[in-house]
Amino acid sequence: MQFSKSTDYALHALVHLGNSSSLSNIGIKELSSTIGVSESYLSKIMSKLRQNGIVRAVPGVNGGYELARPAEQISFLDVVQVIEGSQQLFECSHSNSRLHELLTHDGDTPLCQEHPEHHSICLIEKVMDGAEQHLYQYLREHTIGSIVDEAAKRCNHKGNKE
């Protein structure tokens, strides 16, 4: 599994926005320069984030982007789902093979719980679904704000050593 570069750029842009003073917005030129991506590519990413209520576009000569809500309320999962979509990461083939049958049934007794779609879930699919849920929970627990706070702590810690 690999997230796209768009997710990488979106997260970096949001951290940059979260790290800026709350009284100013940041233009696409500065954002793209800081992240190291073209303005046109980043504009498409920012448009998706805007359409989904994560950033707000500020019009005008000195316009740009700002976070639409506090950084602590924007989870990594929010961003991943906007950029990547919210499709299931693993899908069992549900083939008619003997192995698949063994993974879903033990004779006449199902080895697993009923899936919401009312079919037995394969044991492999059960493990993969569990991993996906753990990933989503982890991404849900981490926010743009938590990264901004951690970066500030590191910066302060480094400044205290000098």
Side-chain angles (χ1 to χ4, degrees):
M1 175 186 70
Q2 184 174 1
F3 294 118
S4 69
K5 282 290 187 187
S6 294
T7 296
D8 177 23
Y9 298 144
L11 290 167
H12 279 87
L14 292 170
V15 167
H16 189 62
L17 290 172
N19 199 33
S20 74
S21 115
S22 59
L23 299 173
S24 67
N25 59 75
I26 299 176
I28 195 71
K29 184 175 238 130
E30 180 184 335
L31 273 175
S32 68
S33 172
T34 301
I35 297 167
V37 63
S38 76
E39 288 180 40
S40 62
Y41 188 59
L42 187 58
S43 290
K44 291 175 186 172
I45 294 167
M46 298 307 287
S47 179
K48 277 186 176 181
L49 295 172
R50 184 187 54 74
Q51 290 167 358
N52 286 275
I54 293 177
V55 298
R56 186 173 26 248
V58 178
V61 175
N62 295 318
Y65 290 96
E66 61 187 13
L67 297 180
R69 56 185 193 247
E72 298 77 24
Q73 293 177 15
I74 302 171
S75 75
F76 273 52
L77 184 60
D78 294 335
V79 179
V80 167
Q81 288 182 330
V82 165
I83 303 298
E84 304 289 341
S86 52
Q87 73 276 5
Q88 189 174 351
L89 298 179
F90 179 83
E91 191 173 320
C92 187
S93 64
H94 292 291
S95 68
N96 293 324
S97 73
R98 177 72 181 131
L99 176 60
H100 185 79
E101 190 177 312
L102 289 172
L103 292 172
T104 56
H105 294 86
D106 180 13
D108 293 335
T109 309
L111 287 174
C112 54
Q113 306 162 350
E114 282 296 307
H115 203 268
E117 286 85 24
H118 303 294
H119 65 275
S120 294
I121 187 171
C122 167
L123 293 175
I124 293 170
E125 187 175 14
K126 184 178 178 182
V127 170
M128 298 303 283
D129 284 349
E132 184 174 339
Q133 292 312 309
H134 283 286
L135 171 64
Y136 288 163
Q137 183 59 38
Y138 186 81
L139 293 173
R140 197 176 289 116
E141 291 168 1
H142 290 81
T143 65
I144 299 303
S146 66
I147 298 302
V148 168
D149 291 346
E150 182 64 27
K153 285 178 192 172
R154 287 182 180 186
C155 194
N156 289 337
H157 182 70
K158 184 179 178 184
N160 291 339
K161 284 186 171 183
E162 296 178 295

